[in-house]
Amino acid sequence: MVLILEQILNGVQLGVTLFLISAGLTLVLGIMGLVNLAHGSLFMIGAYAAATVAARTGSFLAAIAAAVIAAAAAGFFMESIFRTLYEKPHLNQLLATFGLVLVFNDGVSIVWGRPPLFMTIPKVLSGSIEIFPTVFYPAYRFAIILAGLVLSIVLYFCIQKTRIGMLIRAGATNPEMLSALGVNIRQLYTVVFCAGALLAGLAGALIGPLISVQIGMGENVLILAFAAIIVGGIGSIRGAMVGALLIGGADTLTRSFASDFLRTFLIPSTADNVGGVISSVVPYLIMAAVLLWRPQGLFSRV
Amino acid sequence: MRREQLITALLFLLFLALPAGTYLTGTQSINGLLTRIVIFAIAAISLDFIMGHGGLISFGHAGFFGVGGYVVAILAFHDTEQSRFLGLLQGTNSLVWSLPAAILVGGAVALPIGFLSLKTRGMSFVMITLAFAQMLFFFFTSLSIYGADDGLSMKTRNVLFNLNLQDDAVFYYVSLIALLGYAFLCHRALNSRFGMVLHGSRDSERRILAVGISVFPYRLVAFVFSAMGASLAGALFANLVQYASPDMLRWSVSGEIMAIVILGGTRSLVGPVLGSALFVGSETLCKSFTDHWGLLLGLILVGAMIFTREGILHALTGAQSR
């Protein structure tokens, strides 16, 4: 029971991390019609910047700040390249984002080298906390969950209640009409792109201490984030949240319980094999199920 | 158009004569590279079939490429081990069996994936095909009997009649025949009623519907046919390097195949071949003196996407397709 609770929390933690990545991805896709394969690179840049600054200064807050700044700057750079591509066919844009992935991966290996970096959990959050009587959970993971939830509330507020949020929602529904109404849509693109980059970089910094910071770390997360926004519906922040929690939860739970469950009626080695296969395909099966049921995603208004 | 035919004919003669040329100049060692070019040309033609002609941007071709490779390697594995696949199917080391098997399995895998993915359009289709290919990638990395992350190596290449496929030049010609065969099938399909519907569905789905044709089955058939081409290429590739590994299914491979199509020129059967020669050739060249091929390729891709609209073929022929 305790283990299940712990794994559910781990699932939520992966879910909120995925949400931070999906949020930018889904907005960029909804508003600009651009599948940004290089979004995972922003996550990687954030993690590298955080790991470097944390190792130099020892301050976790400085590391977070560095990650956010570095990712937003990289996002600004990326957007300035895409700006020349908006008039081009989608295929050109897609391949350019793929080219940027290669550039960022190799660029990072030139600057930081190939071996992975390690980041330590800040001292204050290194212990465990008692979330329920007798149930302990690592404080750092719990902090990520809280940070993710706070950020999603802030993001929700920004999108629903502020002027810029209104423009973003309008842009996701009908960009041509918005620009016909006299809104500088190029500027809006830049703002959305940099905000998305910032969130991805933040996710990289938060997750840095839990995994090894290495080249290509963003790519697997990126594809889970794709699955999350397809489940949630493109252009919808709420959909991205639900999709991310669903995919993150399913991924974590099957990873930890599938083989144990199968061991009850299969021989252990077979169970581990089949369990591994199942847990690797479950997020995509969820995506497939949603596609069959609602091809436009759970929260799409289209 | 006439220039394109001229280029096709010249290219055909060149590819036919190349291994002989390597014998005369004593550079047989590049026959492996030439075969690689031919194999990636097959994969690129198969992608262009749905992407250029069908307007469906699939980012999951590495998945089918890998499936084809794994089918060949797994059959060869069971042949050497004298065991049976799932306790049922005997292995084989004969190309006559393993190549069709790879193509069929590739098509069978593509059927449900295509059925689901084709429910979406445009950019969602890109992400979904990518996600399914990634699923296949994780599927193969978790297959521990077949080497998991390390992949599965083959003791020898497959056997075909009395030919010595271990000789790179002989294997090159086998691959070239596969390329010509697949390209011929594509050509016939595209010039038939089927191809017209496919082109029509790309240009205006609504009009095709108005004529009274449902596009979905056509797209599905095109998707499966395309995946079969990618599996064929993968099966040949596994034979060439005598190895199948999850690396074949990496999403960067999908990107590379797409880059070959775009750099070469879409909607023609020669463009992908030119693209493959350029891409694989420069990859090999660059890798010989720098570790940072990725950086170079990335910059070339970004630059090419910004400054050009059409591939090399269209630059050569001066054609202005849309």
Side-chain angles (χ1 to χ4, degrees), chain B residues 89-321:
Chain B
L89 203 66
Q90 225 169 351
T92 172
N93 198 27
S94 163
L95 197 71
V96 183
W97 288 109
S98 61
L99 214 54
I103 295 169
L104 285 179
V105 173
V109 172
L111 194 64
I113 291 182
F115 182 81
L116 288 167
S117 312
L118 288 168
K119 290 187 176 292
T120 60
R121 294 280 164 279
M123 289 294 111
S124 315
F125 186 76
V126 174
M127 293 192 296
I128 286 165
T129 45
L130 173 56
F132 279 124
Q134 204 63 14
M135 180 182 93
L136 290 173
F137 171 78
F138 285 120
F139 175 77
F140 283 109
T141 51
S142 57
L143 278 184
S144 48
I145 21 168
Y146 301 123
D149 286 329
D150 297 330
L152 192 59
S153 58
M154 293 163 63
K155 269 214 307 257
T156 60
R157 284 184 189 152
N158 282 161
V159 188
L160 180 69
F161 310 124
N162 292 326
L163 297 173
N164 176 19
L165 293 192
Q166 292 304 119
D167 183 338
D168 278 342
V170 176
F171 190 69
Y172 169 84
Y173 281 114
V174 171
S175 305
L176 190 64
I177 290 168
L179 169 67
L180 293 173
Y182 188 72
F184 177 72
L185 283 179
C186 286
H187 178 74
R188 289 304 298 260
L190 290 171
N191 287 303
S192 68
R193 180 177 180 274
F194 176 85
M196 287 163 121
V197 174
L198 197 62
H199 285 151
S201 74
R202 175 195 67 206
D203 295 336
S204 171
E205 189 180 341
R206 195 177 287 182
R207 284 189 199 169
I208 292 289
L209 287 173
V211 181
I213 300 170
S214 163
V215 292
F216 186 81
Y218 285 86
R219 284 188 167 147
L220 188 56
V221 170
F223 188 83
V224 171
F225 178 69
S226 166
M228 285 172 150
S231 301
L232 166 68
L236 290 170
F237 188 77
N239 261 304
L240 174 69
V241 296
Q242 298 181 30
Y243 181 52
S245 78
D247 282 339
M248 285 175 77
L249 295 101
R250 267 186 204 289
W251 70 296
S252 53
V253 175
S254 297
E256 283 164 15
I257 298 173
M258 187 175 282
I260 290 173
V261 176
I262 307 291
L263 291 178
T266 57
R267 298 182 205 173
S268 92
L269 295 169
V270 197
V273 182
L274 279 174
S276 176
L278 178 83
F279 186 94
V280 180
S282 49
E283 180 185 15
T284 313
L285 195 68
C286 292
K287 274 184 177 166
S288 64
F289 61 81
T290 168
D291 288 337
H292 299 294
W293 153 246
L295 182 69
L296 211 59
L297 170 65
L299 290 174
I300 292 171
L301 273 182
V302 175
M305 292 309 112
I306 292 175
F307 297 111
T308 67
R309 216 184 159 86
E310 305 285 342
I312 347 168
L313 178 70
H314 299 292
L316 287 176
T317 57
Q320 289 289 318
S321 69

Side-chain angles (χ1 to χ4, degrees), chain A residues 37 109 119 137 165 186 215 218 281:
Chain A
L37 297 173
S109 84
M119 229 177 128
Y137 191 71
R186 286 299 171 87
I215 293 161
V281 299

Side-chain angles (χ1 to χ4, degrees), chain A residues 44-63:
Chain A
M44 175 177 74
I45 298 266
Y48 268 96
T52 311
V53 171
R56 288 274 168 80
T57 65
S59 158
F60 189 67
L61 287 178

